[in-house]
Amino acid sequence: MILGDSKSFAAIYPIENDCINLFLSLCSINWVTVCYAPKPDGDPQKFRILAVAHFSKIVTGMHGASRALSSRFIHRQRIMSDVKRKERPITAFFKPVNASTASSGADKREPNDGPVPLKKLKENMPAIEKNVESKTTPSNASARPYAALLKDDKWKQILAGEFDKPYWQRLEDFLQSEERAGKKVFPPKEHIFRAFDSCSMEEVKVVVIGQDPYHDNGQAMGLCFSVPRGIKVPSSLQNIYKELHADLNCKIPLHGDLDKWAKQGVLLLNVSLTVRAHEANSHSKKGWENFTNAAIKEISQNRKGLVFLLWGKNAQEKEALISKANGHLILKCPHPSGLSAHRGFFGSKHFSQCNNFIESNGGAPIDWQIDGPYKLLPPK
């Protein structure tokens, strides 16, 4: 019989050192008595199994625990290899993604060659797509039906980046939700971008900035201050006609269609391009301001010698967007509405000033006279 602790036993039978340590830790003791085992017949595996079997005889009084421990030790010893196992880094357990196509020679690595260099791991990592967002962000006309309504090729090219911004998708979602809810929205879809489609970027001479479309039935047509023929002329446009008559002696038409101005290079741009029926400013702060601000910036930066007519406080806030480096003329006065026209819109002579500036830069003046029929005015 041999008495001693795990270290002395390990000195005699070093192959079992890890088994004894595990046994002692599980039994919470620091010594063990081992019965003498017959000399092995040269088979080291048989000796180890036999030695562990003696452990189980010593602890038979520990109810069923001894059988569990001995079977665990035997099982462990059977799977141990006689070959000393090498220590391997964690990276050695991962197969490079391009292992099947690795080149021959110095690039080939055996499983136990040691850690894989970090540089090599980075080279073998699969490529990560950088533009993942484009797969989830709609980028075609079917996903952005309102963006697809803009027809003018030059404006589409200039403003294409706006359609990829988050605010535009929110605006699309809002407009589509209005449509699904059965809300009446002005102007009709085909006229939402009429200001841009009627006046190409290269043809712009004058920019008139309005607020939002008229919100009563049949009024809005996609051009600020303008209404279709057959619709009563709004008070703001009536006052514009009055100032034209006083400034350039233009006749006062009986309709409010300003398409003739747009075709000559007058960009009649509302800050918001849509509105819910009978609810003024109902589509403001939904994203249109971002879009029209971008248009004002682009045109002021890419063109020279334009005239900007800023009527009213809201329009005058856009002055900060206008480039000061390209020789533009900015004319400001109160809004032509019935509430403020008498405060400075009447007598401003913006239309004659506009034409004088265009002509001084070698351009053709705007023919501000709208086609008739005309209102009969009493003789002066």
Side-chain angles (χ1 to χ4, degrees), residues 1-4 9 20 23-24 27 29 31-36 50-63 66-67 69-70:
M1 180 179 293
I2 301 173
L3 259 112
F9 184 81
I20 294 171
F23 178 84
L24 293 177
C27 297
I29 60 176
W31 61 271
V32 64
T33 302
V34 182
C35 295
Y36 176 77
L50 183 59
V52 175
H54 282 273
F55 288 144
S56 65
K57 291 180 182 180
I58 297 171
V59 292
T60 54
M62 297 177 62
H63 305 288
S66 62
R67 289 188 295 274
L69 286 169
S70 61

PDB file of all heavy atoms in Angstrom, residues 1-4 9 20 23-24 27 29 31-36 50-63 66-67 69-70:
ATOM      1  N   MET A   1       0.859  -1.180   0.000  1.00  0.00           N
ATOM      2  CA  MET A   1       0.000   0.000   0.000  1.00  0.00           C
ATOM      3  C   MET A   1       0.899   1.234   0.000  1.00  0.00           C
ATOM      4  O   MET A   1       1.897   1.281   0.677  1.00  0.00           O
ATOM      5  CB  MET A   1      -0.905   0.005   1.240  1.00  0.00           C
ATOM      6  CG  MET A   1      -1.845   1.221   1.300  1.00  0.00           C
ATOM      7  SD  MET A   1      -2.900   1.176   2.751  1.00  0.00           S
ATOM      8  CE  MET A   1      -3.895  -0.248   2.325  1.00  0.00           C
ATOM      9  N   ILE A   2       0.432   2.257  -0.739  1.00  0.00           N
ATOM     10  CA  ILE A   2       1.199   3.494  -0.837  1.00  0.00           C
ATOM     11  C   ILE A   2       0.382   4.596  -0.215  1.00  0.00           C
ATOM     12  O   ILE A   2      -0.775   4.794  -0.549  1.00  0.00           O
ATOM     13  CB  ILE A   2       1.520   3.840  -2.300  1.00  0.00           C
ATOM     14  CG1 ILE A   2       2.311   2.720  -2.948  1.00  0.00           C
ATOM     15  CG2 ILE A   2       2.271   5.157  -2.389  1.00  0.00           C
ATOM     16  CD1 ILE A   2       2.523   2.903  -4.410  1.00  0.00           C
ATOM     17  N   LEU A   3       0.987   5.328   0.705  1.00  0.00           N
ATOM     18  CA  LEU A   3       0.315   6.459   1.324  1.00  0.00           C
ATOM     19  C   LEU A   3       1.036   7.738   0.925  1.00  0.00           C
ATOM     20  O   LEU A   3       2.261   7.778   0.898  1.00  0.00           O
ATOM     21  CB  LEU A   3       0.329   6.333   2.854  1.00  0.00           C
ATOM     22  CG  LEU A   3      -0.997   5.828   3.433  1.00  0.00           C
ATOM     23  CD1 LEU A   3      -0.793   4.458   3.990  1.00  0.00           C
ATOM     24  CD2 LEU A   3      -1.474   6.789   4.465  1.00  0.00           C
ATOM     25  N   GLY A   4       0.269   8.762   0.692  1.00  0.00           N
ATOM     26  CA  GLY A   4       0.902  10.031   0.328  1.00  0.00           C
ATOM     27  C   GLY A   4      -0.086  10.989  -0.319  1.00  0.00           C
ATOM     28  O   GLY A   4      -1.256  10.665  -0.482  1.00  0.00           O
ATOM     29  N   PHE A   9       2.369  10.662  -5.264  1.00  0.00           N
ATOM     30  CA  PHE A   9       1.855   9.633  -6.170  1.00  0.00           C
ATOM     31  C   PHE A   9       2.192   9.974  -7.617  1.00  0.00           C
ATOM     32  O   PHE A   9       2.539   9.130  -8.415  1.00  0.00           O
ATOM     33  CB  PHE A   9       0.334   9.519  -6.005  1.00  0.00           C
ATOM     34  CG  PHE A   9      -0.264   8.408  -6.830  1.00  0.00           C
ATOM     35  CD1 PHE A   9      -0.230   7.093  -6.390  1.00  0.00           C
ATOM     36  CD2 PHE A   9      -0.845   8.703  -8.054  1.00  0.00           C
ATOM     37  CE1 PHE A   9      -0.787   6.098  -7.162  1.00  0.00           C
ATOM     38  CE2 PHE A   9      -1.384   7.693  -8.810  1.00  0.00           C
ATOM     39  CZ  PHE A   9      -1.367   6.377  -8.370  1.00  0.00           C
ATOM     40  N   ILE A  20      -5.327  12.642 -10.652  1.00  0.00           N
ATOM     41  CA  ILE A  20      -5.314  12.740  -9.185  1.00  0.00           C
ATOM     42  C   ILE A  20      -5.747  14.128  -8.748  1.00  0.00           C
ATOM     43  O   ILE A  20      -6.545  14.284  -7.833  1.00  0.00           O
ATOM     44  CB  ILE A  20      -3.910  12.409  -8.653  1.00  0.00           C
ATOM     45  CG1 ILE A  20      -3.602  10.939  -8.932  1.00  0.00           C
ATOM     46  CG2 ILE A  20      -3.813  12.700  -7.165  1.00  0.00           C
ATOM     47  CD1 ILE A  20      -2.191  10.569  -8.645  1.00  0.00           C
ATOM     48  N   PHE A  23      -9.353  14.339  -9.065  1.00  0.00           N
ATOM     49  CA  PHE A  23      -9.996  13.498  -8.056  1.00  0.00           C
ATOM     50  C   PHE A  23     -10.007  14.196  -6.708  1.00  0.00           C
ATOM     51  O   PHE A  23     -11.034  14.260  -6.006  1.00  0.00           O
ATOM     52  CB  PHE A  23      -9.246  12.167  -7.987  1.00  0.00           C
ATOM     53  CG  PHE A  23      -9.806  11.228  -6.925  1.00  0.00           C
ATOM     54  CD1 PHE A  23     -10.881  10.426  -7.212  1.00  0.00           C
ATOM     55  CD2 PHE A  23      -9.237  11.188  -5.669  1.00  0.00           C
ATOM     56  CE1 PHE A  23     -11.387   9.581  -6.265  1.00  0.00           C
ATOM     57  CE2 PHE A  23      -9.765  10.339  -4.715  1.00  0.00           C
ATOM     58  CZ  PHE A  23     -10.837   9.515  -4.995  1.00  0.00           C
ATOM     59  N   LEU A  24      -8.850  14.785  -6.315  1.00  0.00           N
ATOM     60  CA  LEU A  24      -8.749  15.453  -5.022  1.00  0.00           C
ATOM     61  C   LEU A  24      -9.643  16.673  -4.960  1.00  0.00           C
ATOM     62  O   LEU A  24     -10.277  16.962  -3.939  1.00  0.00           O
ATOM     63  CB  LEU A  24      -7.302  15.864  -4.761  1.00  0.00           C
ATOM     64  CG  LEU A  24      -6.306  14.693  -4.562  1.00  0.00           C
ATOM     65  CD1 LEU A  24      -4.914  15.244  -4.398  1.00  0.00           C
ATOM     66  CD2 LEU A  24      -6.718  13.846  -3.371  1.00  0.00           C
ATOM     67  N   CYS A  27     -13.232  15.524  -4.460  1.00  0.00           N
ATOM     68  CA  CYS A  27     -13.490  14.912  -3.154  1.00  0.00           C
ATOM     69  C   CYS A  27     -13.187  15.855  -1.998  1.00  0.00           C
ATOM     70  O   CYS A  27     -13.433  15.518  -0.845  1.00  0.00           O
ATOM     71  CB  CYS A  27     -12.640  13.639  -2.999  1.00  0.00           C
ATOM     72  SG  CYS A  27     -13.054  12.366  -4.213  1.00  0.00           S
ATOM     73  N   ILE A  29     -10.319  16.594  -0.588  1.00  0.00           N
ATOM     74  CA  ILE A  29      -9.325  16.050   0.327  1.00  0.00           C
ATOM     75  C   ILE A  29      -7.942  16.324  -0.221  1.00  0.00           C
ATOM     76  O   ILE A  29      -7.808  16.681  -1.391  1.00  0.00           O
ATOM     77  CB  ILE A  29      -9.515  14.538   0.544  1.00  0.00           C
ATOM     78  CG1 ILE A  29      -9.384  13.792  -0.791  1.00  0.00           C
ATOM     79  CG2 ILE A  29     -10.853  14.236   1.199  1.00  0.00           C
ATOM     80  CD1 ILE A  29      -9.472  12.290  -0.641  1.00  0.00           C
ATOM     81  N   TRP A  31      -5.234  14.071   0.456  1.00  0.00           N
ATOM     82  CA  TRP A  31      -4.423  12.858   0.405  1.00  0.00           C
ATOM     83  C   TRP A  31      -5.299  11.717  -0.070  1.00  0.00           C
ATOM     84  O   TRP A  31      -6.512  11.797  -0.065  1.00  0.00           O
ATOM     85  CB  TRP A  31      -3.813  12.544   1.768  1.00  0.00           C
ATOM     86  CG  TRP A  31      -4.859  12.311   2.859  1.00  0.00           C
ATOM     87  CD1 TRP A  31      -5.413  13.233   3.652  1.00  0.00           C
ATOM     88  CD2 TRP A  31      -5.425  11.054   3.204  1.00  0.00           C
ATOM     89  NE1 TRP A  31      -6.311  12.671   4.489  1.00  0.00           N
ATOM     90  CE2 TRP A  31      -6.330  11.299   4.241  1.00  0.00           C
ATOM     91  CE3 TRP A  31      -5.242   9.738   2.766  1.00  0.00           C
ATOM     92  CZ2 TRP A  31      -7.085  10.285   4.839  1.00  0.00           C
ATOM     93  CZ3 TRP A  31      -5.981   8.726   3.363  1.00  0.00           C
ATOM     94  CH2 TRP A  31      -6.896   9.008   4.392  1.00  0.00           C
ATOM     95  N   VAL A  32      -4.672  10.623  -0.497  1.00  0.00           N
ATOM     96  CA  VAL A  32      -5.410   9.465  -0.994  1.00  0.00           C
ATOM     97  C   VAL A  32      -4.563   8.220  -0.757  1.00  0.00           C
ATOM     98  O   VAL A  32      -3.341   8.259  -0.798  1.00  0.00           O
ATOM     99  CB  VAL A  32      -5.715   9.621  -2.501  1.00  0.00           C
ATOM    100  CG1 VAL A  32      -4.441   9.654  -3.313  1.00  0.00           C
ATOM    101  CG2 VAL A  32      -6.601   8.473  -2.986  1.00  0.00           C
ATOM    102  N   THR A  33      -5.211   7.134  -0.458  1.00  0.00           N
ATOM    103  CA  THR A  33      -4.549   5.831  -0.305  1.00  0.00           C
ATOM    104  C   THR A  33      -4.834   5.012  -1.541  1.00  0.00           C
ATOM    105  O   THR A  33      -5.976   4.874  -1.948  1.00  0.00           O
ATOM    106  CB  THR A  33      -5.079   5.090   0.926  1.00  0.00           C
ATOM    107  OG1 THR A  33      -4.854   5.911   2.072  1.00  0.00           O
ATOM    108  CG2 THR A  33      -4.362   3.770   1.083  1.00  0.00           C
ATOM    109  N   VAL A  34      -3.779   4.484  -2.125  1.00  0.00           N
ATOM    110  CA  VAL A  34      -3.919   3.715  -3.357  1.00  0.00           C
ATOM    111  C   VAL A  34      -3.367   2.315  -3.135  1.00  0.00           C
ATOM    112  O   VAL A  34      -2.255   2.154  -2.639  1.00  0.00           O
ATOM    113  CB  VAL A  34      -3.171   4.392  -4.517  1.00  0.00           C
ATOM    114  CG1 VAL A  34      -3.354   3.608  -5.795  1.00  0.00           C
ATOM    115  CG2 VAL A  34      -3.643   5.832  -4.673  1.00  0.00           C
ATOM    116  N   CYS A  35      -4.136   1.341  -3.497  1.00  0.00           N
ATOM    117  CA  CYS A  35      -3.662  -0.040  -3.409  1.00  0.00           C
ATOM    118  C   CYS A  35      -2.627  -0.304  -4.486  1.00  0.00           C
ATOM    119  O   CYS A  35      -2.702   0.262  -5.568  1.00  0.00           O
ATOM    120  CB  CYS A  35      -4.834  -1.004  -3.547  1.00  0.00           C
ATOM    121  SG  CYS A  35      -6.014  -0.886  -2.198  1.00  0.00           S
ATOM    122  N   TYR A  36      -1.668  -1.185  -4.149  1.00  0.00           N
ATOM    123  CA  TYR A  36      -0.602  -1.499  -5.081  1.00  0.00           C
ATOM    124  C   TYR A  36      -1.175  -2.227  -6.284  1.00  0.00           C
ATOM    125  O   TYR A  36      -1.959  -3.159  -6.149  1.00  0.00           O
ATOM    126  CB  TYR A  36       0.460  -2.360  -4.406  1.00  0.00           C
ATOM    127  CG  TYR A  36       1.548  -2.784  -5.354  1.00  0.00           C
ATOM    128  CD1 TYR A  36       2.537  -1.898  -5.741  1.00  0.00           C
ATOM    129  CD2 TYR A  36       1.560  -4.098  -5.846  1.00  0.00           C
ATOM    130  CE1 TYR A  36       3.528  -2.283  -6.597  1.00  0.00           C
ATOM    131  CE2 TYR A  36       2.560  -4.465  -6.724  1.00  0.00           C
ATOM    132  CZ  TYR A  36       3.550  -3.576  -7.094  1.00  0.00           C
ATOM    133  OH  TYR A  36       4.530  -3.945  -7.964  1.00  0.00           O
ATOM    134  N   LEU A  50      -5.863   0.463 -15.044  1.00  0.00           N
ATOM    135  CA  LEU A  50      -5.824  -0.313 -13.823  1.00  0.00           C
ATOM    136  C   LEU A  50      -5.621   0.578 -12.601  1.00  0.00           C
ATOM    137  O   LEU A  50      -6.284   0.426 -11.574  1.00  0.00           O
ATOM    138  CB  LEU A  50      -4.673  -1.335 -13.904  1.00  0.00           C
ATOM    139  CG  LEU A  50      -4.539  -2.308 -12.707  1.00  0.00           C
ATOM    140  CD1 LEU A  50      -5.830  -3.111 -12.537  1.00  0.00           C
ATOM    141  CD2 LEU A  50      -3.346  -3.231 -12.925  1.00  0.00           C
ATOM    142  N   ALA A  51      -4.725   1.586 -12.760  1.00  0.00           N
ATOM    143  CA  ALA A  51      -4.473   2.501 -11.653  1.00  0.00           C
ATOM    144  C   ALA A  51      -5.723   3.273 -11.303  1.00  0.00           C
ATOM    145  O   ALA A  51      -6.062   3.455 -10.136  1.00  0.00           O
ATOM    146  CB  ALA A  51      -3.336   3.444 -12.011  1.00  0.00           C
ATOM    147  N   VAL A  52      -6.433   3.723 -12.290  1.00  0.00           N
ATOM    148  CA  VAL A  52      -7.665   4.457 -12.032  1.00  0.00           C
ATOM    149  C   VAL A  52      -8.713   3.549 -11.435  1.00  0.00           C
ATOM    150  O   VAL A  52      -9.513   3.949 -10.595  1.00  0.00           O
ATOM    151  CB  VAL A  52      -8.166   5.112 -13.336  1.00  0.00           C
ATOM    152  CG1 VAL A  52      -9.505   5.768 -13.103  1.00  0.00           C
ATOM    153  CG2 VAL A  52      -7.161   6.140 -13.836  1.00  0.00           C
ATOM    154  N   ALA A  53      -8.709   2.270 -11.839  1.00  0.00           N
ATOM    155  CA  ALA A  53      -9.669   1.323 -11.276  1.00  0.00           C
ATOM    156  C   ALA A  53      -9.454   1.183  -9.781  1.00  0.00           C
ATOM    157  O   ALA A  53     -10.401   1.006  -9.017  1.00  0.00           O
ATOM    158  CB  ALA A  53      -9.526  -0.025 -11.957  1.00  0.00           C
ATOM    159  N   HIS A  54      -8.200   1.229  -9.296  1.00  0.00           N
ATOM    160  CA  HIS A  54      -7.922   1.153  -7.864  1.00  0.00           C
ATOM    161  C   HIS A  54      -8.497   2.349  -7.133  1.00  0.00           C
ATOM    162  O   HIS A  54      -8.892   2.242  -5.979  1.00  0.00           O
ATOM    163  CB  HIS A  54      -6.406   1.063  -7.641  1.00  0.00           C
ATOM    164  CG  HIS A  54      -5.878  -0.335  -7.895  1.00  0.00           C
ATOM    165  ND1 HIS A  54      -5.859  -1.299  -6.918  1.00  0.00           N
ATOM    166  CD2 HIS A  54      -5.370  -0.900  -9.015  1.00  0.00           C
ATOM    167  CE1 HIS A  54      -5.351  -2.414  -7.441  1.00  0.00           C
ATOM    168  NE2 HIS A  54      -5.038  -2.189  -8.711  1.00  0.00           N
ATOM    169  N   PHE A  55      -8.545   3.528  -7.793  1.00  0.00           N
ATOM    170  CA  PHE A  55      -9.160   4.694  -7.174  1.00  0.00           C
ATOM    171  C   PHE A  55     -10.595   4.402  -6.814  1.00  0.00           C
ATOM    172  O   PHE A  55     -11.078   4.756  -5.742  1.00  0.00           O
ATOM    173  CB  PHE A  55      -9.111   5.905  -8.126  1.00  0.00           C
ATOM    174  CG  PHE A  55      -7.752   6.502  -8.295  1.00  0.00           C
ATOM    175  CD1 PHE A  55      -7.357   7.005  -9.521  1.00  0.00           C
ATOM    176  CD2 PHE A  55      -6.877   6.554  -7.219  1.00  0.00           C
ATOM    177  CE1 PHE A  55      -6.099   7.551  -9.680  1.00  0.00           C
ATOM    178  CE2 PHE A  55      -5.617   7.115  -7.380  1.00  0.00           C
ATOM    179  CZ  PHE A  55      -5.220   7.604  -8.609  1.00  0.00           C
ATOM    180  N   SER A  56     -11.292   3.742  -7.696  1.00  0.00           N
ATOM    181  CA  SER A  56     -12.719   3.506  -7.453  1.00  0.00           C
ATOM    182  C   SER A  56     -12.939   2.577  -6.266  1.00  0.00           C
ATOM    183  O   SER A  56     -13.931   2.701  -5.546  1.00  0.00           O
ATOM    184  CB  SER A  56     -13.363   2.931  -8.718  1.00  0.00           C
ATOM    185  OG  SER A  56     -12.827   1.664  -8.997  1.00  0.00           O
ATOM    186  N   LYS A  57     -12.020   1.606  -5.999  1.00  0.00           N
ATOM    187  CA  LYS A  57     -12.187   0.693  -4.875  1.00  0.00           C
ATOM    188  C   LYS A  57     -12.035   1.424  -3.542  1.00  0.00           C
ATOM    189  O   LYS A  57     -12.596   1.038  -2.533  1.00  0.00           O
ATOM    190  CB  LYS A  57     -11.140  -0.421  -4.972  1.00  0.00           C
ATOM    191  CG  LYS A  57     -11.388  -1.371  -6.143  1.00  0.00           C
ATOM    192  CD  LYS A  57     -10.335  -2.458  -6.192  1.00  0.00           C
ATOM    193  CE  LYS A  57     -10.561  -3.381  -7.390  1.00  0.00           C
ATOM    194  NZ  LYS A  57      -9.538  -4.445  -7.460  1.00  0.00           N
ATOM    195  N   ILE A  58     -11.215   2.492  -3.567  1.00  0.00           N
ATOM    196  CA  ILE A  58     -10.956   3.213  -2.318  1.00  0.00           C
ATOM    197  C   ILE A  58     -12.171   3.995  -1.866  1.00  0.00           C
ATOM    198  O   ILE A  58     -12.413   4.197  -0.687  1.00  0.00           O
ATOM    199  CB  ILE A  58      -9.748   4.147  -2.505  1.00  0.00           C
ATOM    200  CG1 ILE A  58      -8.502   3.328  -2.811  1.00  0.00           C
ATOM    201  CG2 ILE A  58      -9.532   5.018  -1.280  1.00  0.00           C
ATOM    202  CD1 ILE A  58      -7.330   4.170  -3.220  1.00  0.00           C
ATOM    203  N   VAL A  59     -12.969   4.448  -2.782  1.00  0.00           N
ATOM    204  CA  VAL A  59     -14.072   5.344  -2.424  1.00  0.00           C
ATOM    205  C   VAL A  59     -15.428   4.682  -2.616  1.00  0.00           C
ATOM    206  O   VAL A  59     -16.403   5.322  -2.946  1.00  0.00           O
ATOM    207  CB  VAL A  59     -13.987   6.630  -3.271  1.00  0.00           C
ATOM    208  CG1 VAL A  59     -12.792   7.439  -2.886  1.00  0.00           C
ATOM    209  CG2 VAL A  59     -13.974   6.294  -4.760  1.00  0.00           C
ATOM    210  N   THR A  60     -15.489   3.361  -2.430  1.00  0.00           N
ATOM    211  CA  THR A  60     -16.767   2.664  -2.618  1.00  0.00           C
ATOM    212  C   THR A  60     -17.800   3.099  -1.613  1.00  0.00           C
ATOM    213  O   THR A  60     -19.000   2.916  -1.834  1.00  0.00           O
ATOM    214  CB  THR A  60     -16.551   1.143  -2.510  1.00  0.00           C
ATOM    215  OG1 THR A  60     -15.889   0.867  -1.275  1.00  0.00           O
ATOM    216  CG2 THR A  60     -15.733   0.622  -3.658  1.00  0.00           C
ATOM    217  N   GLY A  61     -17.357   3.684  -0.511  1.00  0.00           N
ATOM    218  CA  GLY A  61     -18.322   4.110   0.498  1.00  0.00           C
ATOM    219  C   GLY A  61     -19.006   5.421   0.169  1.00  0.00           C
ATOM    220  O   GLY A  61     -19.852   5.879   0.938  1.00  0.00           O
ATOM    221  N   MET A  62     -18.616   6.043  -0.889  1.00  0.00           N
ATOM    222  CA  MET A  62     -19.193   7.354  -1.247  1.00  0.00           C
ATOM    223  C   MET A  62     -20.419   7.175  -2.126  1.00  0.00           C
ATOM    224  O   MET A  62     -20.591   7.820  -3.146  1.00  0.00           O
ATOM    225  CB  MET A  62     -18.140   8.209  -1.956  1.00  0.00           C
ATOM    226  CG  MET A  62     -16.947   8.524  -1.077  1.00  0.00           C
ATOM    227  SD  MET A  62     -15.688   9.456  -1.965  1.00  0.00           S
ATOM    228  CE  MET A  62     -16.616  10.923  -2.338  1.00  0.00           C
ATOM    229  N   HIS A  63     -21.282   6.216  -1.755  1.00  0.00           N
ATOM    230  CA  HIS A  63     -22.540   5.939  -2.452  1.00  0.00           C
ATOM    231  C   HIS A  63     -22.287   5.752  -3.943  1.00  0.00           C
ATOM    232  O   HIS A  63     -21.348   5.070  -4.337  1.00  0.00           O
ATOM    233  CB  HIS A  63     -23.549   7.057  -2.181  1.00  0.00           C
ATOM    234  CG  HIS A  63     -23.775   7.274  -0.693  1.00  0.00           C
ATOM    235  ND1 HIS A  63     -24.481   6.371   0.075  1.00  0.00           N
ATOM    236  CD2 HIS A  63     -23.357   8.258   0.137  1.00  0.00           C
ATOM    237  CE1 HIS A  63     -24.509   6.801   1.341  1.00  0.00           C
ATOM    238  NE2 HIS A  63     -23.812   7.945   1.398  1.00  0.00           N
ATOM    239  N   SER A  66     -18.658   7.291  -6.439  1.00  0.00           N
ATOM    240  CA  SER A  66     -17.403   6.663  -6.871  1.00  0.00           C
ATOM    241  C   SER A  66     -17.528   6.109  -8.273  1.00  0.00           C
ATOM    242  O   SER A  66     -16.604   6.200  -9.065  1.00  0.00           O
ATOM    243  CB  SER A  66     -17.020   5.554  -5.883  1.00  0.00           C
ATOM    244  OG  SER A  66     -18.022   4.546  -5.868  1.00  0.00           O
ATOM    245  N   ARG A  67     -18.661   5.489  -8.564  1.00  0.00           N
ATOM    246  CA  ARG A  67     -18.825   4.903  -9.897  1.00  0.00           C
ATOM    247  C   ARG A  67     -18.825   5.990 -10.977  1.00  0.00           C
ATOM    248  O   ARG A  67     -18.255   5.810 -12.034  1.00  0.00           O
ATOM    249  CB  ARG A  67     -20.131   4.092  -9.947  1.00  0.00           C
ATOM    250  CG  ARG A  67     -20.049   2.803  -9.138  1.00  0.00           C
ATOM    251  CD  ARG A  67     -21.271   1.930  -9.375  1.00  0.00           C
ATOM    252  NE  ARG A  67     -22.483   2.589  -8.876  1.00  0.00           N
ATOM    253  CZ  ARG A  67     -22.890   2.487  -7.613  1.00  0.00           C
ATOM    254  NH1 ARG A  67     -22.179   1.782  -6.742  1.00  0.00           N
ATOM    255  NH2 ARG A  67     -24.004   3.084  -7.233  1.00  0.00           N
ATOM    256  N   LEU A  69     -17.281   8.921 -10.776  1.00  0.00           N
ATOM    257  CA  LEU A  69     -15.931   9.451 -10.910  1.00  0.00           C
ATOM    258  C   LEU A  69     -15.031   8.513 -11.686  1.00  0.00           C
ATOM    259  O   LEU A  69     -14.285   8.919 -12.582  1.00  0.00           O
ATOM    260  CB  LEU A  69     -15.332   9.714  -9.535  1.00  0.00           C
ATOM    261  CG  LEU A  69     -15.885  10.943  -8.789  1.00  0.00           C
ATOM    262  CD1 LEU A  69     -15.402  10.916  -7.354  1.00  0.00           C
ATOM    263  CD2 LEU A  69     -15.449  12.194  -9.494  1.00  0.00           C
ATOM    264  N   SER A  70     -15.071   7.203 -11.316  1.00  0.00           N
ATOM    265  CA  SER A  70     -14.164   6.257 -11.972  1.00  0.00           C
ATOM    266  C   SER A  70     -14.476   6.147 -13.447  1.00  0.00           C
ATOM    267  O   SER A  70     -13.578   6.102 -14.276  1.00  0.00           O
ATOM    268  CB  SER A  70     -14.273   4.880 -11.303  1.00  0.00           C
ATOM    269  OG  SER A  70     -15.594   4.375 -11.432  1.00  0.00           O
TER     270      SER A  70
END
